[in-house]
């Protein structure tokens, strides 16, 4: 794990956002054990073989998780938003997500890399 990403997550002010970002990071590691991570554009980016796989970002009231290379994924349209090549899940405080589904989606999307 990259210390810059750890420091970024630990510096998130809202405890629920910090916990959620940490959990989403774990999803990525479970889906892509060989993932590389770095801070880019002031956000944690996760790469496989040098290609973007996912990114976590925070806003005032949400944590967003974007999956790259998502065009061939079967995604629930009412949950994910964005163009075909990258889809974003926006989570607000108290909102649940399916950990196993997300892990499978990240794994599938990055399997072409």
């Amino acid at each position: 794990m990259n210390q810059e990403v750890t420091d970024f997550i630990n510096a998130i002010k809202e405890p629920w956002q910090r916990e959620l970002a940490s959990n989403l990071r774990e999803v990525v590691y479970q889906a892509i054990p060989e993932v590389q991570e770095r801070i880019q554009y002031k956000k944690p980016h996760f790469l496989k073989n040098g290609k973007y796989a996912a990114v976590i970002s925070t806003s005032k009231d949400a944590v967003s998780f974007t999956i790259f290379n998502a065009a061939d994924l079967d995604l629930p349209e009412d949950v994910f938003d964005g163009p075909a090549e990258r889809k974003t899940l926006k989570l607000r405080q108290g909102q649940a997500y399916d950990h196993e589904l997300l892990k499978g989606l990240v794994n599938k999307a990055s399997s072409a890399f």
Side-chain angles (χ1 to χ4, degrees):
M1 291 191 169
N2 180 303
Q3 188 60 47
E4 279 187 304
V5 173
T6 300
D7 293 345
F8 176 92
I9 291 172
N10 289 339
I12 296 172
K13 290 181 183 176
E14 291 293 328
W16 71 269
Q17 288 180 316
R18 188 170 47 248
E19 181 180 354
L20 185 53
S22 182
N23 290 343
L24 291 168
R25 183 187 195 189
E26 186 59 35
V27 165
V28 175
Y29 269 90
Q30 289 176 7
I32 313 168
E34 70 278 16
V35 71
Q36 301 100 33
E37 58 181 12
R38 67 180 178 213
I39 297 294
Q40 188 171 358
Y41 308 112
K42 299 181 183 180
K43 301 175 213 169
H45 283 69
F46 303 89
L47 299 91
K48 181 177 176 187
N49 297 325
K51 297 184 188 226
Y52 292 121
V55 65
I56 296 171
S57 61
T58 58
S59 62
K60 186 176 181 179
D61 66 344
V63 175
S64 295
F65 183 76
T66 302
I67 301 172
F68 291 86
N69 195 37
D72 294 332
L73 298 179
D74 185 21
L75 298 169
E77 290 182 26
D78 59 329
V79 178
F80 288 87
D81 192 25
E85 67 276 0
R86 64 182 181 278
K87 293 292 186 178
T88 300
L89 172 65
K90 192 172 204 175
L91 298 164
R92 291 186 167 70
Q93 187 171 10
Q95 187 176 355
Y97 67 95
D98 186 329
H99 180 96
E100 290 301 312
L101 173 66
L102 201 54
K103 182 172 78 172
L105 293 171
V106 172
N107 180 274
K108 184 176 180 184
S110 67
S111 65
F113 301 158

